Amino acid sequence: MQISIIIPIYNKIEIIYDCIKFNISHCVHTHEWIVIDNGSDVQTKDGLSNLQSYATSLGHTFIIHTETYNTGVAKAWNKGLSMANAANVLILNNDCVLMPAWDVAITSTLTTYSHHIISPMVIEPEWYSGYTLEDFLNGKINYQKILKINNKRTITTYFGGVAIAGSKTLFDTVGEFDENFWLLLEDYDYLMRAKKAGINPIIDCSVAGYHYTSLTRKDMHQTFDKNYTYFHQKWGFDFQKVDNNFSNKLHRSLKKKLFKWFAWYHQKITLPAV
């Protein structure tokens, strides 16, 4: 057992089931899976039970911790961290699929960059209209070519909380996620605290993932203004204003245009399956 993978769950079993099953099947080694069920429906609980049987049959440890209500992301992550037994931890969204052999790539990066918190390079369907999980898995737009172009770089930057990996020691050093946030900005707050402690976040370009983009959040109907206000009070700047400034908007626009071009170009040639 090399990694403790922490995944909060709230309904959407029709998508979550495939995501978790792919992530398990894509492992080279066996790991500890900690699923925090935040008061999901019966169908989701049945699906998690089936996933537990599947993971166990492959030699993994699969723990389901059930809450009676939706506690929010930060509290679920904290619960998972308190249960984690492996030397390394991966906090993973329930709607993200990592590439085959992702565990080897992440473990290698954590060994090389032992004093960093890392994220895989995450590809999202909004970058390219019609890009699906099947496209990612079958190489319609070959992420391995994207990784090769990046030449396994590490990019020092902040990233969203789709996948956050690091040693258990680093997570213990930064401490718990701030539970005053509820489904927004708890990840950025944590990375800022990590950076303040001298632990730099990096994006690892040796591993890629496919993210459905806020699949669960869309059904939460939460008012996010409270989170933005709290973040502003805590850090002294308006995250929403900074995130939507001209420079950041231009960067996001160029990134999407680049990916669309890459996707268009590589559909013109025959790609090997991955």
Side-chain angles (χ1 to χ4, degrees):
M1 179 172 60
Q2 299 177 344
I3 307 172
S4 292
I5 301 102
I6 300 167
I7 307 177
I9 296 294
Y10 181 68
N11 298 334
K12 294 288 185 183
I13 191 60
E14 65 276 8
I15 299 295
I16 291 169
Y17 188 93
D18 286 342
C19 289
I20 295 180
K21 190 170 183 179
F22 275 123
N23 286 325
I24 293 172
S25 66
H26 287 173
C27 289
V28 174
H29 303 291
T30 57
H31 305 287
E32 177 181 63
W33 299 78
I34 302 172
V35 174
I36 309 299
D37 175 12
N38 264 337
S40 297
D41 54 31
V42 174
Q43 291 82 2
T44 300
K45 294 183 189 303
D46 290 342
L48 291 179
S49 180
N50 291 335
L51 284 170
Q52 187 176 48
S53 299
Y54 173 72
T56 302
S57 71
L58 296 177
H60 295 267
T61 300
F62 196 98
I63 302 166
I64 303 171
H65 174 82
T66 304
E67 299 284 357
T68 56
Y69 66 101
N70 194 337
T71 64
V73 175
K75 193 165 185 175
W77 285 343
N78 287 338
K79 183 62 182 178
L81 285 171
S82 73
M83 298 169 64
N85 295 299
N88 295 317
V89 171
L90 170 64
I91 291 174
L92 186 63
N93 269 29
N94 55 25
D95 57 354
C96 180
V97 175
L98 301 176
M99 70 183 201
W102 64 264
D103 56 334
V104 173
I106 284 182
T107 301
S108 175
T109 301
L110 289 175
T111 300
T112 305
Y113 298 90
S114 59
H115 201 66
H116 294 268
I117 288 179
I118 75 167
S119 172
M121 187 188 72
V122 177
I123 300 169
E124 298 183 335
E126 63 183 37
W127 292 7
Y128 177 66
S129 178
Y131 184 53
T132 66
L133 174 60
E134 287 71 25
D135 295 333
F136 175 77
L137 295 173
N138 297 326
K140 180 179 179 182
I141 303 169
N142 197 325
Y143 63 82
Q144 290 187 351
K145 290 184 179 291
I146 300 175
L147 296 178
K148 187 176 181 180
I149 288 172
N150 279 282
N151 197 26
K152 299 185 178 180
R153 292 182 301 148
T154 55
I155 305 171
T156 303
T157 184
Y158 289 104
F159 46 78
V162 177
I164 306 175
S167 71
K168 183 64 162 56
T169 301
L170 289 189
F171 279 102
D172 289 342
T173 299
V174 180
E176 292 190 335
F177 286 85
D178 188 340
E179 295 177 8
N180 289 304
F181 294 103
W182 206 96
L183 205 62
L184 185 72
L185 295 179
E186 58 278 291
D187 47 0
Y188 285 100
D189 171 77
Y190 198 81
L191 293 175
M192 290 183 70
R193 286 165 49 205
K195 196 171 180 66
K196 194 173 181 180
I199 303 168
N200 289 325
I202 61 174
I203 294 176
D204 173 20
C205 291
S206 67
V207 56
Y210 176 92
H211 180 222
Y212 278 98
T213 314
S214 303
L215 183 70
T216 305
R217 182 187 294 178
K218 293 173 183 176
D219 290 347
M220 294 298 180
H221 308 296
Q222 294 296 314
T223 301
F224 295 136
D225 290 345
K226 181 179 178 181
N227 295 304
Y228 285 119
T229 300
Y230 176 63
F231 188 95
H232 190 180
Q233 292 171 345
K234 184 173 182 177
W235 291 101
F237 68 91
D238 187 332
F239 178 89
Q240 203 167 16
K241 185 179 292 185
V242 171
D243 192 48
N244 290 316
N245 64 28
F246 176 78
S247 176
N248 285 340
K249 282 185 174 181
L250 179 63
H251 175 76
R252 287 194 292 266
S253 176
L254 290 175
K255 185 170 70 171
K256 289 179 182 179
K257 286 179 181 177
L258 178 63
F259 187 80
K260 286 179 180 179
W261 174 86
F262 188 93
W264 171 84
Y265 176 78
H266 282 286
Q267 284 188 69
K268 303 298 180 182
I269 62 175
T270 301
L271 294 175
V274 294

